[in-house]
Amino acid sequence: MKIAIIEDEIGITNFLKQGLEEEQFTVLIANDGKTGWELIQQSKPDLILLDWTLPKISGIEVCRKVRENGIQTPILFLTARDTVQDTIEGLKAGANDYIKKPFSFDELLARINVYFRKDIVPESVTLGPILMHLLKHEVHVLERKVTLTQREFELLYFLIKNKGKACSRTQIIEEVWNIHFEYDTGVIDVFMNSIRKKLNLPKDQELIKTIRGIGYIAND
Ligand code: CA
C-alpha cells in the first residue's frame, strides 16, 4: 500500500515516513504542492496525506485538482487550521478526513487504517457441504478432503466470502489475481472448471453458478 505525504515540514515528513514504513507502507514524499500533484499523477498512491499550507500550490488546491481529475484516492488533510470553516472548505474540496496538528502517530495510524481496513479473516467459511479452513488452508466436502492450488483456494474463498452476490469477472480478476488492467478473464473459467471438478458435487448441488456475461455467484 502506497501512501503519499505532501508536506513541507521536513520534521513531520521524516517522522511520518519512519512510522509508516515500520507499518509496512510504501511512503512517497513531496515537499510542495506542485511536486505533490505530479507525484499523485505519476505514482497513483492508495492514500494521500496532504498538508494545508504548502509552497507553490496550496493543499486545498492540490485536493481540488485531484478530484477535478476524477482521482478518487482518499485524502487526509494534515492541518493546523482547526476552525470549522476551514474543515468544511477542505471536505468540500474533496478531502475524506482531516487531522489537526499536532497529532500523535497512533492517532494518525488509526485514521489511515480506516481506509486500509483489512478483512477480518474468519477461521473457516462454508458453502453447503463445502468447508474451507482458512487457518489450516484446507478444503473439505463433507468428510472428503479436497486439494486446491493457492489460486483456486483464493478464488473459492472470494466467491464464498461474497455468498449471495454476483461477482463480475473484472472484480474477480482484480481481487483474486490482483490485476488492474484489461486482461483475458477466460482464465477464471479454467480455474472454475478445475475447482468444480475437484469439489465434485452432484449436478443438482452446483452451489457456484455461472452468470452468463457477468461472472459467478455462490449460494447455499
Ligand atoms: Ca506546511
Side-chain angles (χ1 to χ4, degrees), residues 7 10 51 65 77 90 94 97 117 130-131 144 151 164:
E7 163 68 78
I10 305 297
D51 185 25
K65 274 181 189 293
F77 259 119
D97 201 357
R117 197 176 281 148
I130 307 165
L131 173 68
R144 181 169 48 93
R151 189 77 81 187

Side-chain angles (χ1 to χ4, degrees), residues 12-26:
I12 295 181
T13 52
N14 287 346
F15 158 75
L16 291 178
K17 184 174 193 291
Q18 193 190 346
L20 291 171
E21 282 178 350
E22 277 169 17
E23 295 294 327
Q24 310 302 317
F25 290 107
T26 302

Side-chain angles (χ1 to χ4, degrees), residues 130-194:
I130 307 165
L131 173 68
M132 294 188 84
H133 279 289
L134 300 166
L135 296 180
K136 289 194 241 166
H137 213 273
E138 281 178 11
V139 180
H140 295 262
V141 177
L142 298 176
E143 296 305 305
R144 181 169 48 93
K145 191 172 165 186
V146 177
T147 308
L148 298 183
T149 65
Q150 176 66 24
R151 189 77 81 187
E152 288 168 351
F153 191 91
E154 285 171 19
L155 173 55
L156 183 61
Y157 175 54
F158 181 74
L159 294 171
I160 296 181
K161 191 171 68 172
N162 290 292
K163 208 189 274 185
K165 285 186 239 163
C167 299
S168 73
R169 288 165 187 282
T170 312
Q171 207 182 349
I172 294 170
I173 279 289
E174 287 192 358
E175 299 282 336
V176 180
W177 270 260
N178 204 18
I179 292 173
H180 300 272
F181 47 83
E182 198 132 341
Y183 191 81
D184 178 12
T185 56
V187 66
I188 301 168
D189 304 320
V190 177
F191 277 78
M192 268 318 301
N193 286 341
S194 169

Side-chain angles (χ1 to χ4, degrees), residues 6-9 12 31 51-55 78 101:
I6 306 171
E7 163 68 78
D8 58 328
E9 287 166 65
I12 295 181
N31 298 118
D51 185 25
W52 184 284
T53 46
L54 285 168
L78 308 174
K101 290 178 188 172

